[in-house]
Amino acid sequence: MCGIAGYIGTRNAVDVVFDQLKRLEYRGYDSAGVAFVQADRIGILKRAGKLTQLGGLIEQEKPEANLAIAHSRWATHGGPTDFNAHPHYDQQAKIALIHNGIIENYLELKEELVRAGHTFQSETDTEVAAHIIGREYVEGVSLEDAVRKAVQKMRGAFGFVVISHLDPEKLVCARNASPLVVGLGEGENMVASDIPALLPYTRRVAILENDMVATVTRGEIKVIGLDGRKLELSPFEVDWDIAAAEKGGYDHFMLKEIHEQPAVVRSALAGRIEGHGVALQGLFSDHVWQEIDRVVIIACGTAFHAGLMGKTLFERVLQLPTDVYFSSEFRYGEPVVSPRSLAVFISQSGETADSLAALRLCKSRRIRTLGIVNVVGSSIARECDRTIMTQAGPEISVASTKAYTAQCIVLLLLALHIAQVKETPGVRVGNMVQDLRNFTGYVQASLSLESEMREVAEMFQDAKLVFFLGRNADAHVSLEAALKLKEVAYVPTQECPAGEMKHGPLALIEPGVLAVFGATDSDVREKTVSNMKEVQARGGYVLALTTEDDSSLDSVADRVVKVPKSGSPYLNALVSIVPLQLLAYYVAKARGCEIDQPRNLAKSVTVE
Ligand code: M6R
């Protein structure tokens, strides 16, 4: 979750790594720091709070160096204080270290170090790692060998970057589970926890694999394994537009990413539909699809909600039994999966710790795995047997918007691919492909509801509770809409299938409560109308989302928002997420919330 940046070259490294940290702000953090090598010392500046605090300190000290590392910390072990902020020195201040992840056996290691006379400035597991590496870094041992030996004593997840004034021409990185990517420049090289940090400096990048130790100098990047054997990197060119990782005139990344959704749909479909059929490449061969008799979808947060949409499709369209698990529940539960099951992992970042652990569990049980992932080169993308990229471009806002839409589109493409292969009776693939072709236009049209959603948001910015209700696919979209509102606007929400409301949640309805009903599915709309009446009878205000052809709710709901209608109930429900994302955004804006980096949250949850 923490942001990592490191640079060696001819520019002022402190300026470079500080700029790189700014590009990683979206990951969420509560303190930040920088370390730089100057003559015979390593300087460290660090502060609790936002990057502006650290920026002020840098402005005051004006450090100059050709080698620097920087870190933004999301507190796990020890609160967000100046002392707990990274970088950390070892016992003799010979090295400085930044770290992303958790060292699980740090207490055991710390006790051993304390017995040997070490003292600590912070409560962090990271400082323990710095001391362990520093202890290995004795005369005659290279920095990379010290790191290599030290990491073998640690258990847990880590991405480290280490520098030393005793070896001022290199930075050394090691990785186990937490992502690290190196950037290859001309006479300069760098490392970061995520690609957007590198883009202004280079487009040539390589992913560090687990158990790799990389030595980054100005001229080259050398990699060895934990056994000291030389390994090769596989660099590739990033073709994202830099503007895609910047705000491009919008006040917030969240709003920009909501508006990008028509292009995201186009990109998710690009090259994947041909004529009246679906043309997904690089998946399992046909006989494998014939063998698969059950699907388990495993994901967290928004990706889990996309997984529920996948269940609807796989069961309704393909009659393929499908279960959806939270990754954290799957990995510690006793899930029943057989060799004929397919495990589908949905993840924007491709680095979510629980999803990755669940994936490894499935692989250890020889279950076939398929990833639906956004970030190229991420762990889940690489470790799944097969992966379909969502191609949504970088998603910077902590609240996921465009990735959800892309995940749902990819799930529909996948369902149609399976239907084609299995020749599932009754599935009109051609019609659904045509609906998909039209969908970009529907998403575009739904953006014209922006001013209406802003008005509704301003009316309800002080709502004490907002219900999100619906049936079938509308119920799944309601869960996602509720998550958006609570995470960016900090408004308490109650979400459940509309028919479930009477079994308890109805007790929460009283005057001042807003109930948002997804009612795009005409098959069950009449049932939902009864639920609207139940809310109104108890003083609640009903906002209904329905399709543009429906006037049945005009005289029922207190306010009706109409979304474009496509041929498929799945897509009708999906398009309604756009105005609901806008609702969350504008409520958050009206309440003065920090929209792109909500309190307590991080973009990529790389700790369990
Ligand atoms: O990167 P992932 O898709 O695996 O992340 C999963 C969740 O952490 C993520 O969707 C989270 O719930 C978002 N903040 C939701 O907006």
Side-chain angles (χ1 to χ4, degrees):
M1 275 146 114
C2 306
I4 281 187
Y7 171 89
I8 182 162
T10 48
R11 313 182 205 218
N12 182 2
V14 178
D15 292 344
V16 174
V17 291
F18 186 66
D19 173 63
Q20 291 176 329
L21 269 198
K22 284 201 221 147
R23 295 170 194 279
L24 295 174
E25 269 198 292
Y26 67 90
R27 293 175 79 106
Y29 68 99
D30 38 45
S31 60
V34 57
F36 41 91
V37 168
Q38 280 180 329
D40 57 351
R41 68 183 271 270
I42 306 172
I44 289 185
L45 300 173
K46 52 188 190 175
R47 275 286 179 272
K50 290 292 174 194
L51 279 182
T52 42
Q53 311 290 119
L54 177 64
L57 207 54
I58 293 175
E59 191 51 38
Q60 200 179 308
E61 303 278 327
K62 300 196 173 17
E64 294 214 0
N66 295 124
L67 171 61
I69 54 178
H71 186 267
S72 48
R73 173 173 185 256
W74 189 84
T76 55
H77 293 62
T81 63
D82 290 354
F83 281 125
N84 288 335
H86 303 200
H88 289 285
Y89 289 120
D90 69 315
Q91 177 72 11
Q92 295 175 34
K94 285 180 299 190
I95 66 155
L97 169 83
I98 53 177
H99 164 222
N100 180 7
I102 290 178
I103 311 293
E104 285 167 2
N105 59 336
Y106 86 104
L107 274 178
E108 197 181 298
L109 295 169
K110 189 169 182 176
E111 280 165 16
E112 185 193 321
L113 290 163
V114 168
R115 280 197 298 275
H118 287 237
T119 52
F120 292 88
Q121 314 299 318
S122 76
E123 305 149 277
T124 64
D125 50 340
T126 305
E127 193 181 8
V128 174
H131 281 233
I132 293 282
I133 295 172
R135 193 176 62 174
E136 296 292 339
Y137 188 37
V138 291
E139 221 173 301
V141 174
S142 68
L143 190 55
E144 44 273 54
D145 275 347
V147 170
R148 193 170 62 77
K149 285 185 187 156
V151 297
Q152 295 183 56
K153 301 194 163 88
M154 300 175 208
R155 284 198 313 273
F158 50 79
F160 289 131
V161 188
V162 186
I163 54 172
S164 172
H165 62 286
L166 303 176
D167 204 346
E169 284 301 319
K170 63 171 69 150
L171 38 85
V172 175
C173 332
R175 172 202 163 149
N176 178 35
S178 302
L180 276 184
V181 49
V182 289
L184 298 94
E186 294 289 325
E188 58 182 3
N189 283 311
M190 56 213 91
V191 58
S193 46
D194 213 346
I195 293 174
L198 303 175
L199 288 183
Y201 304 95
T202 182
R203 292 183 159 276
R204 196 162 161 71
V205 306
I207 309 289
L208 279 195
E209 304 283 349
N210 281 345
D211 300 333
M212 277 184 166
V213 176
T215 306
V216 179
T217 61
R218 292 165 199 249
E220 61 178 346
I221 301 180
K222 281 191 189 155
V223 185
I224 53 172
L226 291 185
D227 56 2
R229 247 178 339 115
K230 190 169 176 293
L231 299 172
E232 295 298 327
L233 281 175
S234 311
F236 60 95
E237 296 285 327
V238 179
D239 56 8
W240 298 341
D241 180 0
I242 289 197
E246 290 174 354
K247 279 190 206 150
Y250 289 92
D251 285 350
H252 296 96
F253 282 111
M254 182 178 177
L255 188 60
K256 176 183 176 232
E257 288 160 4
I258 291 172
H259 277 264
E260 280 173 352
Q261 291 178 107
V264 163
V265 173
R266 205 174 299 119
S267 166
L269 297 177
R272 292 170 172 174
I273 48 182
E274 258 172 28
H276 301 297
V278 166
L280 278 179
Q281 306 298 331
L283 290 184
F284 300 106
S285 39
D286 291 2
H287 76 271
V288 172
W289 290 115
Q290 301 292 357
E291 218 176 281
I292 288 166
D293 65 359
R294 182 170 172 239
V295 175
V296 285
I297 301 180
I298 301 160
C300 305
T302 288
F304 174 87
H305 296 154
L308 293 171
M309 294 291 270
K311 176 180 166 73
T312 298
L313 282 171
F314 293 152
E315 294 192 334
R316 294 202 163 202
V317 177
L318 304 170
Q319 282 82 55
L320 188 55
T322 303
D323 292 304
V324 192
Y325 288 90
F326 289 113
S327 310
S328 53
E329 290 293 303
F330 183 89
R331 67 182 287 201
Y332 294 119
E334 288 181 10
V336 181
V337 272
S338 79
R340 295 185 63 186
S341 301
L342 170 69
V344 176
F345 291 85
I346 309 178
S347 176
Q348 188 286 130
S349 63
E351 301 292 351
T352 300
D354 282 322
S355 302
L356 194 51
L359 164 59
R360 289 177 182 156
L361 179 69
C362 286
K363 293 195 82 170
S364 72
R365 293 201 197 167
R366 300 186 179 286
I367 307 297
R368 289 188 185 95
T369 58
L370 171 71
I372 297 179
V373 181
N374 195 38
V375 175
V376 179
S378 60
S379 302
I380 296 177
R382 286 177 299 129
E383 292 187 28
C384 279
D385 297 329
R386 301 284 188 277
T387 297
I388 311 177
M389 301 311 298
T390 44
Q391 302 179 169
E395 190 179 66
I396 309 292
S397 163
V398 166
S400 189
T401 53
K402 63 177 183 172
Y404 171 77
T405 301
Q407 288 157 354
C408 292
I409 293 297
V410 167
L411 284 160
L412 179 49
L413 286 170
L414 180 62
L416 295 180
H417 172 85
I418 302 171
Q420 267 173 197
V421 173
K422 292 180 123 177
E423 295 177 6
T424 311
V427 183
R428 289 182 298 182
V429 174
N431 290 0
M432 292 174 92
V433 164
Q434 191 50 45
D435 288 341
L436 269 173
R437 285 188 200 279
N438 297 337
F439 194 61
T440 308
Y442 298 144
V443 176
Q444 185 67 54
S446 68
L447 287 168
S448 65
L449 294 166
E450 183 163 0
S451 54
E452 191 172 347
M453 296 322 289
R454 183 179 195 146
E455 195 186 311
V456 176
E458 283 163 6
M459 272 171 73
F460 288 99
Q461 59 178 289
D462 296 320
K464 49 185 168 183
L465 178 66
V466 180
F467 267 66
F468 285 90
L469 302 152
R471 290 169 185 262
N472 298 334
D474 283 323
H476 304 325
V477 170
S478 293
L479 294 182
E480 175 55 12
L483 178 63
K484 289 291 87 76
L485 186 66
K486 76 179 104 193
E487 70 181 326
V488 299
Y490 316 146
V491 173
T493 65
Q494 169 66 50
E495 47 279 11
C496 66
E500 194 53 29
M501 185 180 59
K502 284 202 278 291
H503 299 281
L506 188 58
L508 295 171
I509 298 283
E510 58 180 332
V513 170
L514 167 66
V516 180
F517 279 88
T520 65
D521 187 343
S522 54
D523 288 351
V524 286
R525 198 175 282 137
E526 272 182 19
K527 304 281 168 205
T528 310
V529 166
S530 312
N531 302 128
M532 294 179 188
K533 301 268 192 209
E534 287 154 10
V535 167
Q536 286 169 327
R538 287 156 184 87
Y541 183 99
V542 169
L543 169 69
L545 280 91
T546 187
T547 48
E548 61 197 355
D549 62 328
D550 170 44
S551 54
S552 69
L553 301 181
D554 296 358
S555 55
V556 176
D558 297 297
R559 181 147 190 164
V560 182
V561 171
K562 299 201 177 176
V563 297
K565 181 177 163 65
S566 76
S568 127
Y570 175 85
L571 292 177
N572 290 337
L574 180 56
V575 81
S576 72
I577 194 59
V578 176
L580 294 172
Q581 291 165 343
L582 288 165
L583 176 70
Y585 173 80
Y586 281 111
V587 173
K589 197 162 182 197
R591 289 164 65 93
C593 300
E594 226 180 310
I595 296 179
D596 284 333
Q597 293 156 39
R599 67 185 181 203
N600 308 338
L601 299 180
K603 181 64 181 163
S604 177
V605 183
T606 53
V607 293
E608 57 173 292

